[in-house]
Amino acid sequence: MIFAANFKCNLTRAETRAYIDTLGQKRFADDAHIFLFPPATALDRYDTPFTIGAQNAYPAHHGAFTGEIGLQQLSEFEIETVLIGHSERREILGESQAFIAEKYRFFQEAGYTILYCIGEPLAVREEGDSAVADYLMAQFEGIDTDYERLIVAYEPIWAIGTGRAATSEEIAATHAMLRKEIDAPLLYGGSVKPDNAAEILSIAHVDGVLVGSASLNVESFTKIIISIDRIK
Ligand code: PEP
């Protein structure tokens, strides 16, 4: 099972270090694979068993891309994992599918583990399963889904940061649809919390969770990770 924490634009460098230290003192099941995505200012070469990834990066080694970080900056900290396609970057930062696919190709060529996010808006969900399937599959345009270091996160936009997770039925149907098309591990994201994590993790074809708000507090993320023990 994969447990990924997306800190977004939260936590300082000092807070991230304290978080990693505290989480490192916990004991987790051997099959709990933990990924942490701190903000770029908190990337570092941490002495930790957890995988540290970048929330975003520009598809270039280095260059004239003001405000961005590239492969050169990530390599300094031995970062080899990147999150691509998050709905906040698609919707707020205006990243197009073509640009997302360019980033994907670049980091695939660099051998990165890619946590690739897809998700539909509420209006599409309200149209039903077949509209959701069409919308999600379009988000794989230009994406090599056979890449062996791909992890997919299904994150319905209307469930992100709203406190309203998708229902078990919605997650089950969507993950079953995705599993027919894609071999990669499939995570669910969107208002995962300590009190719904076990139920979500026990749904067929859910290989883990991507957590935003409830990962910001280390004790809350810990409770989510140890919910793996309740589904065995
Ligand atoms: C996310 O944005 O990746 C996310 C899952 O957020 P939250 O858990 O806050 O819904």
Side-chain angles (χ1 to χ4, degrees):
M1 283 286 173
I2 294 171
F3 297 86
N6 177 11
F7 295 169
K8 309 190 183 185
C9 185
N10 293 293
L11 305 191
T12 63
R13 188 176 186 80
E15 287 167 340
T16 300
R17 181 168 294 284
Y19 185 111
I20 291 172
D21 286 349
T22 305
L23 199 66
Q25 284 159 23
K26 316 274 185 192
R27 286 293 149 258
F28 298 120
D30 290 344
D31 55 344
H33 304 289
I34 299 168
F35 290 72
L36 304 175
F37 294 88
T41 53
L43 292 177
D44 206 342
R45 214 183 281 252
Y46 294 100
D47 180 17
T48 173
F50 312 129
T51 302
I52 307 295
Q55 293 174 21
N56 177 49
Y58 198 79
H61 190 76
H62 57 81
F65 307 108
T66 302
E68 296 288 329
I69 57 171
L71 200 59
Q72 183 185 51
Q73 288 73 42
L74 297 179
S75 301
E76 181 180 11
F77 304 123
E78 294 174 354
I79 304 293
E80 294 176 342
T81 303
V82 66
L83 212 143
I84 296 178
H86 193 281
S87 62
E88 285 155 11
R89 297 211 60 88
R90 293 179 190 264
E91 306 282 312
I92 303 172
L93 282 303
E95 288 191 5
S96 66
Q97 184 61 30
F99 182 56
I100 287 168
E102 183 187 336
K103 272 194 200 186
Y104 188 96
R105 274 192 300 278
F106 181 87
F107 286 100
Q108 176 178 5
E109 265 169 41
Y112 270 50
T113 295
I114 299 177
L115 208 164
Y116 185 70
C117 303
I118 55 168
E120 82 287 355
L122 188 56
V124 173
R125 171 52 69 185
E126 283 169 349
E127 283 175 49
D129 285 349
S130 126
V132 171
D134 289 348
Y135 191 94
L136 297 181
M137 291 324 292
Q139 292 185 320
F140 287 108
E141 209 175 300
I143 302 298
D144 173 10
T145 54
D146 292 327
Y147 180 43
E148 66 280 5
R149 298 189 71 181
L150 165 64
I151 300 167
V152 171
Y154 166 57
E155 301 203 296
I157 298 172
W158 45 273
I160 293 180
T162 59
R164 173 191 164 191
T167 64
S168 294
E169 292 71 29
E170 287 166 334
I171 300 171
T174 309
H175 278 236
M177 181 279 292
L178 290 169
R179 173 55 72 232
K180 283 194 199 133
E181 310 288 338
I182 286 149
D183 268 344
L186 298 175
L187 313 188
Y188 167 77
S191 295
V192 175
K193 295 172 275 210
D195 61 4
N196 64 12
E199 183 181 340
I200 291 170
L201 289 166
S202 60
I203 298 170
H205 311 301
V206 171
D207 303 308
V209 285
L210 174 56
V211 189
S213 326
S215 74
L216 296 181
N217 177 289
V218 69
E219 298 307 329
S220 156
F221 191 50
T222 298
K223 283 185 193 146
I224 290 173
I225 301 168
I226 60 175
S227 61
I228 195 175
D229 300 327
R230 290 198 276 140
I231 58 165
K232 283 179 178 160

